[in-house]
Amino acid sequence: MGPTRRHFLGGLLSLPLLAATRASRAQAAGELRIGMTTALSGPSQALGVGMKAGVEAYFRKVNDQGGVFGRPLRLIALDDQYEPLQTGPNMRALIDDHAVFAILGNVGTPTAAVAVAIADEKKIPFFGAFSGAGLLRKTPPDRYVVNYRASYAQETSEMVRGFVQDLRIHPQHVAFFTQNDAYGDAGFAGGVKALEAAGFERARKLPHGRYPRNTVDVEGGLARLLDPKVTVKAVIMVGAYKPCARFIRLARGSGLDAVFANVSFVGSEALARELGREGDGVVVTQVVPHYDDALPVVSDFRSHVAQEDVNFASLEGYVAARAFVEVLLVAGPNAGREAFIDAVESGHPFDLGLGRSHVMSPANHQFSDAVWPTFLRAGRFHPLRRWGDLRAGP
Amino acid sequence: MTGRNARPTIESNLRLMSGVALALFAALILALVLVQQSLVSSHRTLETVVVPVQQDLGRLDAAVAGMFERQARVSSTVSSTQLEALRDRAGLQSELEGAQARLEAQLATAGDDASAREARQHAARMAPAIREFLGADDELLASVSRYHALHEDFARRLADAQTGLRELTERAAAISGVVQLGYIVLLRRVARDPGDAVLHEVVFGDERAQLRCVEDVANGALDLSALSGRIALAPDGDTLNSISANEIAQNRRRVATSLDDLAELTARDEQLAQRAESLRARFVDLSSAIGDEQRPDSLVSIRRAIYLEKGHAAEVRETSARRAQQLTADVAVLQEAANTLTAESSRHARRTATVTRIGVVLLAALGVAAAALGARRVRSSVGELRAQYQRLQQLRDELTRANENLEDQVQDRTEALAQRERSLQLVLDSTGDGLLTVTLDGVVQAERSRAAAAWLGEGGGAPAPVWSLFHPDDLDAALALRLAFEQLVGDVLPFDLAAEQMPRRLQRGGMTLDLTWRQVTEAGAMKRVLVVARDITERLESERAEREAEELQDMVASVLRDRVGFGESVTEARSLLDVIASADEPQLVRRALHTLKGNMAMLGFQQLASACNELETALPSAPGDVVTDRQVVPLRDLLESTLRRVKDVVGDDFVSLVEVCDRDIDRLLRALHDGHDHAAIIAFVASWRDQSVEAVLGRFAAQASRIAPGLGKELDVTVEDTGARVPSGELRTLWGGLAHAVRNAVDHGIEPPDERIAGGKPPRGRIALRASAETRLLTLQIEDDGRGIDFEALRVAATGKGLPTTTREHLIEAMFTDGVTTKSEVTTLSGRGVGLGALRQTCRDLGGLLEVASRPGLGTCLTLRIPLSRESTVMLPSSEAA
């Protein structure tokens, strides 16, 4: 019911005529328009819908207090169905037709590959995308790209740390299962880097199964990991929830006894739903705290978001929106886009309510490097404070 | 001279020369006209045919080039969108067709020589060429349009095929994954438990073969993808044939074999078999869409159609280029023809110029020859003129001698005339009149009659003009006379009329001379003026004495008739003179003068009345100019001198009389007798000093009766009075005006007897004068039974003065306005239109009212109501009534 209604709303918003009418009215009201092109339908819609809900919740809170320097914030969200071919037109519509100030909270790595190029070309801030890919984290960073979340490399690095240090699994018993695209590549590269950093040189030669995006054809990939020549005790999974869930089920059915660790992008709640009881022990690393956490921003989030919308994606949207508004406040009244980026790079310590301050520079456009591991038990996620807890399972 | 016809005269020479000159001139003009016509025709050819033709040829050439360029652009378009932008060629087409049509029309008006005919043929040939050119252009556009449509269709289908192939590859990979997984799971079982059964399955199982088949299919899909790319890039039909016949056919066979094998190998696994079958279906479908020569919408077929269309477009383009070349060639030919026309025109003009030059030289030579001939002839004529001149001199001498005899004769005649003049002088002297002759320039001639010499002096001195002689001391009069004389002798007026205007009287040494001016003519032309002067001094004197005696009689009669009235009139006359002398307003002066005139006439002061009339006439009508003392003094002197003469006769006791009538004396006696109150008697007697209105009215009645016969009227005047007296002098100013009104009634109101009889009235007119007093209000009435006011005449007069005339009231109002009169003749008595106005003004000054009632044909009644300073009548108590 909920997703259907949101889908409908997204469709409404993507009607250019209606959107243009709203844009002109917004202009008159002095609104600050923020754009978002994301997956509001299709297999990855849970992430897009969650991010959108979180951003809108925080914007609503800010607008209820009078907006930013008196200007209300308005989110204009278009649906690209996690399809890069649709992302380009959406980005151009947002920038050219809706004259948005910035892009906030897009979902996806292959879509970001298209969107970042356009944002750079148009000099539009590209803020808080739901993607941990390296292409958003260049060295030095793209001037207009600012991230809230930790990278996939940082997530996989946390996995490697947990496997090797806490669970005492030898790096050569680690395998990869990734989506056959930029997202999968990013996760793979991050994991390889972490393993190499841990002193394991042959990380690139580790078993690596892949599947095509938007399919559940996981058998070929699984076959690689089941090769009798190799022993797999932990799998770093960089994929979508459906193929990942199928993979875990098939793998366990084929006798593969390993720790399955997914990066945050997998879509935690959908994964949990898909696996049901079979999901126990599956790890998902998060880039936000658990939504039951007591950190200030999390409790604030809970009080401003409807219960059915409470999930990791919406929390990330909420936090990213807060980061965005904090930068606007530092940039000052009527600041332009350059002043906005200057504020990011100013060295000002930003407080997002995560119990730490975030300081950035022209060399660092990353608010957070923190990764919070969680694991499934009985269909629910629990914070994984020590990886050893997995062994202690029920 | 007429006898010398044998030799040419100077006139005939000049005639001949001018004839030759005229002929040459005419020839020149003719030549010029011919040259001009010839040049104009050349110019017209250039202007109306050659230049427009060249312009249109230029346009045609430009339009062909434009079309050609457009075709090049059409050919080089890469998409339908680009082509659409070029589709409209209306401008170029109309330019092309318009230029051709105009060209044909213009050439039709060109001459009929060979080059023009050829040009016309070319121009006519151009119309179908242009149509073909445009047709080729249409065809090219259509072909390129089809080409683009095919290209775009091809691109779409290629993209679809590529997507399909990628999907096919993915499906193959998915099947491959499933097979692999099965195989790996088997291997793991071997690894865990290397039993015979498992080993047998691993060694003899279908998995490896399945994998190979799937890989073949996937490779085949990849090959097909590459082939579709090569189809897109194939440079010509041959390459396409090769791809289609060799590689696509081979690919299809290979993949079909693999798919057959796969179907066989997966027959046991239903799910897998299904997937394999769908893989086959998809492959067959894609393969056909890419390489099936039989399908018109396959990539190969479309690609082939593209080649064909491209070839066709090239052909069309070539055809079009040929048409364009042909058109350009035609244009060049026409250009050549136009150039020929130009050259012909120029040649024609040059020829004309040459002929003109030769003609001019010939004409010039002719002119020189004619001039030489003429000069010779004129020289001979001049010689003859000299001879004639000498003969004329001889003739003159003869005439001079004849003249000398004539002068002697004239002298004899003059002496005879002088003799005659002397005898004439005797005649002049013998009349008693003074006779003078004056030349036309005004000089008085010495001969004059004795009387003239006595009155005006001898004419011995220097000759003097007549004006100086008549007015030696008065320059103004002399000047006036001189001007009059000049008019007399001038031709402007007839002599008699001018003579009328010459001065008739001349005062000289106490004498009054009467002058008569006559013209003396000789042979019908005026030569001199004769002035006849007679001494009329005595005659004038006796006339004046007679007149004065008559006047004195009249005045004395007036005094005797009414001493008191006379005295009052005199008193009033003096005060009127004061008004005339001192008033600033012309209207007041005019009224006073008018009243004075009337009063004096009534009293018999004829001289004074005449003097008043003269002054009134001389009075300028313009406002602001008033009577000067100089004008009033003679009037006053005249009044006083006349008055002295009257007093010499009747004494001077007529100025302070009190009128008492018998009735008053009777009343007084009775009152005394009855022993009335003294105070009442005193008041009564004192009132005698007041003026009796009855007495005044009685005087008016007497005057009216007296003047009536003089005006040809018969009249009865009655006075009705109630014994009213008014304070002496209080109404003095009124009486004059009232007298005037009475005179008006007699003069204007009452008609002559015959007119009255004709109007059905008794011949005697009747005027009633009434007075009645009511305590302090005095009412006076003058009523006549005359013709009444002539309102029509009044309307005309009032309109002439610019006054409103719409109602009866307007007209009566106009009647009171000075200067409005219905009488065209001004008499001494009345008629200047001043009287009634003056009366009403006086009435108003006294605080009273004046009303006029009139009925045309029945009479007029004037009513005055005057307030008095005290009661009008003092009556004794009424024992009298008993």
Side-chain angles (χ1 to χ4, degrees):
Chain A
M1 181 72 196
T4 311
R5 202 187 79 227
R6 290 194 188 101
H7 186 184
F8 169 69
L9 280 176
L12 258 190
L13 283 173
S14 64
L15 282 175
L17 180 66
L18 183 63
T21 315
R22 289 186 175 194
S24 59
R25 212 180 296 143
Q27 191 71 28
E31 286 179 346
L32 191 61
R33 285 188 299 282
I34 314 297
M36 172 188 280
T37 168
T38 191
L40 298 176
S41 60
S44 299
Q45 65 169 321
L47 299 175
V49 169
M51 274 298 275
K52 180 164 170 275
V55 170
E56 281 179 338
Y58 192 75
F59 277 8
R60 200 157 47 240
K61 177 192 161 189
V62 169
N63 289 345
D64 287 348
Q65 291 166 9
V68 178
F69 298 116
R71 296 179 73 181
L73 302 171
R74 181 179 199 85
L75 181 72
I76 297 168
L78 305 182
D79 183 11
D80 61 21
Q81 300 176 303
Y82 192 43
E83 179 51 60
L85 290 177
Q86 186 56 41
T87 306
N90 281 2
M91 281 293 284
R92 294 191 189 280
L94 287 170
I95 295 167
D96 297 338
D97 301 345
H98 298 281
V100 298
F101 175 78
I103 302 295
L104 171 62
N106 279 9
V107 165
T109 301
T111 54
V114 175
V116 165
I118 295 174
D120 269 347
E121 171 201 328
K122 303 268 187 181
K123 302 191 188 311
I124 302 287
F126 189 81
F127 196 97
F130 192 99
S131 165
L135 67 93
L136 297 177
R137 292 165 179 80
K138 289 179 186 160
T139 308
D142 280 337
R143 176 164 169 81
Y144 298 100
V145 177
V146 181
N147 295 301
Y148 156 71
R149 57 154 45 219
S151 66
Y152 294 139
Q154 280 159 337
E155 286 189 61
T156 51
S157 175
E158 168 62 19
M159 292 175 190
V160 168
R161 193 198 62 74
F163 295 156
V164 176
Q165 288 183 12
D166 292 1
L167 295 175
R168 298 289 165 190
I169 294 171
H170 193 277
Q172 72 179 17
H173 296 143
V174 175
F176 290 92
F177 178 72
T178 66
Q179 186 168 296
N180 192 7
D181 66 1
Y183 164 49
D185 290 350
F188 177 68
V192 167
K193 207 168 147 193
L195 284 166
E196 284 172 350
F200 184 67
E201 308 252 314
R202 292 172 48 78
R204 245 168 239 288
K205 303 292 182 187
L206 286 173
H208 184 189
R210 310 205 76 172
Y211 73 96
R213 183 175 67 234
N214 287 345
T215 72
V216 289
D217 299 332
V218 299
E219 288 90 346
L222 179 57
R224 298 254 168 133
L225 270 63
L226 289 179
D227 195 303
K229 281 198 293 185
V230 297
T231 308
V232 173
K233 293 187 175 171
V235 183
I236 295 174
M237 301 181 70
V238 185
Y241 69 94
K242 258 185 198 287
C244 282
R246 183 151 189 263
F247 177 87
I248 292 167
R249 257 204 311 272
L250 268 180
R252 284 187 168 162
S254 305
L256 184 64
D257 182 19
V259 177
F260 297 98
N262 292 274
V263 292
S264 57
F265 192 84
V266 74
S268 308
E269 284 73 19
L271 184 70
R273 217 166 29 245
E274 197 76 22
L275 284 172
R277 300 294 301 180
E278 293 173 282
D280 282 0
V282 171
V283 175
V284 179
T285 53
Q286 308 289 357
V287 292
V288 288
H290 192 275
Y291 39 71
D292 288 336
D293 204 294
L295 282 167
V297 71
V298 183
S299 53
D300 182 48
F301 162 75
R302 283 195 301 272
S303 62
H304 283 97
V305 174
Q307 181 56 43
E308 69 266 24
D309 284 338
V310 168
N311 54 49
F312 290 106
S314 61
L315 178 55
E316 185 176 342
Y318 197 80
V319 175
R322 173 160 172 172
F324 181 79
V325 170
E326 291 297 320
V327 175
L328 279 180
L329 291 171
V330 169
N334 293 320
R337 296 180 178 110
E338 297 302 321
F340 179 85
I341 298 297
D342 289 345
V344 169
E345 296 178 345
S346 67
H348 176 88
F350 292 98
D351 178 14
L352 302 182
L354 290 169
R356 65 194 79 175
S357 74
H358 310 270
V359 176
M360 278 154 292
S361 68
N364 176 19
H365 279 197
Q366 190 85 18
F367 270 83
S368 169
D369 298 322
V371 177
W372 284 265
T374 58
F375 71 104
L376 269 174
R377 187 192 298 141
R380 268 189 63 77
F381 282 99
H382 300 276
L384 182 62
R385 297 200 172 78
R386 285 188 312 279
W387 287 73
D389 293 351
L390 286 174
R391 296 261 165 79
Chain B
M1 271 184 277
T2 47
R4 295 175 178 272
N5 275 347
R7 293 187 60 193
T9 62
I10 187 160
E11 285 92 340
S12 66
N13 280 340
L14 285 175
R15 254 201 308 276
L16 183 69
M17 277 176 68
S18 47
V20 169
L22 208 64
L24 281 174
F25 186 67
L28 202 62
I29 295 290
L30 191 69
L32 277 177
V33 167
L34 289 175
V35 167
Q36 190 240 14
Q37 271 209 330
S38 165
L39 285 179
V40 160
S41 89
S42 294
H43 178 73
R44 190 173 297 140
T45 309
L46 277 174
E47 189 183 59
T48 59
V49 180
V50 178
V51 172
V53 162
Q54 278 175 339
Q55 280 172 352
D56 279 322
L57 284 172
R59 283 200 202 99
L60 206 58
D61 215 16
V64 170
M67 285 294 277
F68 201 62
E69 190 209 334
R70 175 174 167 279
Q71 289 175 357
R73 291 222 303 276
V74 164
S75 299
S76 60
T77 52
V78 297
S79 70
S80 302
T81 322
Q82 279 185 0
L83 185 65
E84 278 313 303
L86 292 171
R87 196 172 278 281
D88 181 24
R89 61 154 198 217
L92 280 169
Q93 182 173 348
S94 70
E95 180 79 352
L96 203 58
E97 289 171 342
Q100 194 274 336
R102 279 198 300 278
L103 200 60
E104 224 169 328
Q106 276 146 5
L107 283 173
T109 66
D112 199 33
D113 51 19
S115 61
R117 270 200 303 279
E118 194 191 353
R120 269 200 287 277
Q121 282 169 2
H122 271 286
R125 268 216 306 271
M126 272 175 117
I130 285 172
R131 273 197 299 281
E132 284 171 19
F133 183 50
L134 289 172
D137 188 69
D138 287 337
E139 180 56 34
L140 179 68
L141 200 73
S143 172
V144 173
S145 179
R146 282 195 300 276
Y147 174 80
H148 286 320
L150 284 170
H151 231 298
E152 281 149 21
D153 190 31
F154 183 83
R156 213 163 36 243
R157 287 176 187 280
L158 180 62
D160 290 348
Q162 296 282 7
T163 310
L165 286 169
R166 202 173 65 227
E167 194 195 330
L168 191 71
T169 316
E170 277 177 9
R171 284 190 196 185
I175 294 173
S176 165
V178 172
V179 174
Q180 270 177 31
L181 183 61
Y183 188 60
I184 289 291
V185 167
L186 201 60
L187 287 180
R188 283 174 72 93
R189 276 170 57 201
V190 171
R192 269 202 310 277
D193 174 22
D196 283 348
V198 179
L199 267 176
H200 184 269
E201 201 177 338
V202 167
V203 174
F204 299 103
D206 294 330
E207 279 82 3
R208 286 192 311 282
Q210 284 170 343
L211 276 176
R212 202 178 53 246
C213 291
V214 171
E215 257 168 43
D216 278 351
V217 172
N219 287 337
L222 287 176
D223 275 353
L224 202 54
S225 177
L227 284 172
S228 65
R230 282 177 63 195
I231 290 170
L233 293 174
D236 50 42
D238 294 343
T239 314
L240 204 60
N241 286 341
S242 169
I243 293 172
S244 171
N246 296 320
E247 300 175 56
I248 290 183
Q250 189 188 16
N251 174 275
R252 192 184 299 143
R253 277 197 303 276
R254 205 176 65 209
V255 176
T257 309
S258 297
L259 283 167
D260 287 348
D261 291 350
L262 188 63
E264 201 176 308
L265 289 169
T266 55
R268 281 176 300 164
D269 184 335
E270 195 184 332
Q271 204 189 345
L272 207 56
Q274 259 179 18
R275 293 180 82 163
E277 194 47 47
S278 95
L279 198 64
R280 179 205 293 276
R282 190 84 185 103
F283 180 82
V284 169
D285 190 24
L286 279 170
S287 178
S288 148
I290 289 168
D292 190 348
E293 293 273 8
Q294 306 303 315
R295 271 177 62 172
D297 61 344
S298 69
L299 286 182
V300 173
S301 299
I302 295 174
R303 191 68 208 170
R304 209 177 289 288
I306 287 173
Y307 290 135
L308 287 175
E309 198 58 59
K310 197 172 183 179
H312 181 59
E315 276 170 28
V316 172
R317 179 106 198 277
E318 216 166 292
T319 312
S320 182
R322 274 201 303 279
R323 299 273 177 259
Q325 271 170 3
Q326 188 194 329
L327 275 175
T328 313
D330 283 345
V331 167
V333 169
L334 280 172
Q335 194 79 48
E336 192 54 42
N339 288 344
T340 311
L341 270 176
T342 313
E344 274 174 15
S345 290
S346 304
R347 220 164 27 244
H348 182 69
R350 268 200 303 280
R351 235 177 6 244
T352 307
T354 310
V355 169
T356 308
R357 270 186 224 116
I358 294 169
V360 166
V361 167
L362 279 177
L363 284 173
L366 271 174
V368 167
L373 188 70
R376 227 181 54 202
R377 291 203 169 194
V378 166
R379 207 162 48 234
S380 74
S381 298
V382 165
E384 284 178 25
L385 273 177
R386 284 204 187 103
Q388 283 179 8
Y389 178 69
Q390 278 176 355
R391 278 197 300 282
L392 280 173
Q393 286 238 315
Q394 286 168 6
L395 274 173
R396 195 194 63 189
D397 291 346
E398 284 167 22
L399 271 174
T400 308
R401 277 192 297 281
N403 258 349
E404 276 162 7
N405 294 338
L406 198 64
E407 274 168 20
D408 290 344
Q409 286 175 7
V410 167
Q411 199 158 7
D412 293 348
R413 185 78 182 273
T414 307
E415 274 174 20
L417 280 173
Q419 182 65 36
R420 203 175 127 202
E421 204 167 328
R422 274 191 294 279
S423 53
L424 194 65
Q425 182 70 40
L426 287 173
V427 176
L428 290 181
D429 291 346
S430 64
T431 72
D433 295 341
L435 298 174
L436 291 172
T437 50
V438 184
T439 61
L440 294 188
D441 50 2
V443 176
V444 181
Q445 296 202 312
E447 304 81 27
R448 58 191 70 179
S449 73
R450 191 167 295 135
W455 297 337
L456 298 167
E458 290 291 347
V466 64
W467 43 87
S468 301
L469 183 69
F470 283 8
H471 303 287
D473 306 319
D474 188 344
L475 284 178
D476 286 346
L479 182 62
L481 180 58
R482 178 180 181 173
L483 292 174
F485 185 82
E486 278 166 5
Q487 180 176 293
L488 183 71
V489 298
D491 278 342
V492 182
L493 291 175
F495 183 87
D496 289 342
L497 191 58
E500 283 288 313
Q501 293 174 19
M502 291 303 286
R504 298 292 302 274
R505 296 276 189 276
L506 178 64
Q507 302 290 336
R508 197 63 185 263
M511 287 187 302
T512 302
L513 299 180
D514 178 75
L515 302 177
T516 310
W517 303 78
R518 294 198 183 123
Q519 61 178 337
V520 179
T521 56
E522 277 178 23
M526 174 164 56
K527 290 293 180 193
R528 276 167 296 173
V529 175
L530 175 66
V531 185
V532 181
R534 287 191 195 87
D535 182 5
I536 55 166
T537 316
E538 283 174 21
R539 197 185 84 204
L540 287 179
E541 190 56 34
S542 70
E543 277 173 7
R544 194 174 59 79
E546 193 175 342
R547 216 167 37 243
E548 279 182 359
E550 279 175 12
E551 197 182 20
L552 192 60
Q553 283 172 13
D554 285 350
M555 288 184 292
V556 169
S558 292
V559 174
L560 292 178
R561 213 165 33 240
D562 180 3
R563 264 174 198 274
V564 175
F566 188 86
E568 286 189 348
S569 293
V570 169
T571 311
E572 194 197 347
R574 285 183 182 134
S575 64
L576 284 172
L577 278 169
D578 290 343
V579 169
I580 292 165
S582 60
D584 290 335
E585 269 188 60
Q587 187 170 326
L588 283 179
V589 171
R590 198 180 292 277
R591 284 176 179 167
L593 199 55
H594 193 67
T595 308
L596 181 63
K597 179 183 78 170
N599 289 358
M600 290 300 101
M602 292 285 273
L603 287 180
F605 282 53
Q606 294 302 339
Q607 282 187 65
L608 191 52
S610 302
C612 285
N613 197 36
E614 276 169 29
L615 184 55
E616 202 177 2
T617 308
L619 211 55
S621 55
D625 206 354
V626 294
V627 175
T628 60
D629 275 349
R630 209 179 108 185
Q631 289 165 302
V632 176
V633 168
L635 294 182
R636 198 170 271 151
D637 290 349
L638 194 54
L639 174 67
E640 295 307 329
S641 66
T642 312
L643 214 50
R644 267 195 305 278
R645 279 192 284 132
V646 174
K647 283 177 181 172
D648 288 346
V649 178
V650 296
D652 57 357
D653 57 349
F654 51 82
V655 289
S656 56
L657 289 178
V658 172
E659 284 174 304
V660 182
C661 54
D662 286 349
R663 198 172 48 186
D664 292 331
I665 295 172
D666 288 346
R667 284 182 194 148
L668 175 64
L669 288 173
R670 196 172 303 138
L672 289 170
H673 186 263
D674 292 350
H676 267 295
D677 183 15
H678 277 212
I681 294 172
I682 290 168
F684 178 61
V685 174
S687 79
W688 290 359
R689 283 217 186 91
D690 287 351
Q691 193 167 33
S692 162
V693 178
E694 184 180 12
V696 175
L697 294 186
R699 278 199 293 281
F700 291 161
Q703 284 169 355
S705 301
R706 197 165 63 252
I707 61 172
L711 295 166
K713 310 283 174 73
E714 295 178 19
L715 185 63
D716 289 326
V717 186
T718 57
V719 176
E720 299 166 28
D721 175 55
T722 56
R725 281 179 185 270
V726 294
S728 185
E730 190 167 310
L731 299 184
R732 182 180 295 146
T733 53
L734 184 67
W735 302 138
L738 211 54
H740 203 94
V742 174
R743 285 195 298 279
N744 273 345
V746 178
D747 197 0
H748 303 157
I750 304 297
E751 314 91 320
D754 43 356
E755 191 182 324
R756 287 182 64 88
I757 292 165
K761 296 183 190 177
R764 291 187 74 81
R766 193 182 54 78
I767 291 178
L769 305 177
R770 300 192 189 91
S772 62
E774 225 175 289
T775 63
R776 288 193 175 183
L777 184 69
L778 176 69
T779 304
L780 298 169
Q781 265 189 338
I782 302 168
E783 187 180 355
D784 66 64
D785 67 346
R787 58 169 70 92
I789 294 170
D790 183 354
F791 284 103
E792 265 321 297
L794 194 57
R795 187 189 310 281
V796 173
T799 307
K801 290 276 173 185
L803 298 169
T805 58
T806 31
T807 64
R808 178 67 55 96
E809 283 68 31
H810 280 152
L811 294 174
I812 289 177
E813 187 62 29
M815 195 166 63
F816 290 125
T817 307
D818 283 359
V820 176
T821 176
T822 60
K823 304 300 285 184
S824 54
E825 184 186 349
V826 176
T827 66
T828 318
L829 284 170
S830 56
R832 288 185 189 275
V834 174
L836 271 179
L839 179 60
R840 189 168 69 158
Q841 189 56 50
T842 312
C843 201
R844 282 185 180 165
D845 290 347
L846 292 168
L849 284 173
L850 170 61
E851 286 163 16
V852 178
S854 178
R855 282 190 295 171
L858 294 179
T860 305
C861 180
L862 234 59
T863 306
L864 292 86
R865 293 178 212 283
I866 314 287
L868 299 171
S869 59
R870 56 180 159 79
E871 302 240 343
S872 62
T873 312
V874 180
M875 297 296 280
L876 280 171
S878 59
S879 60
E880 173 196 7

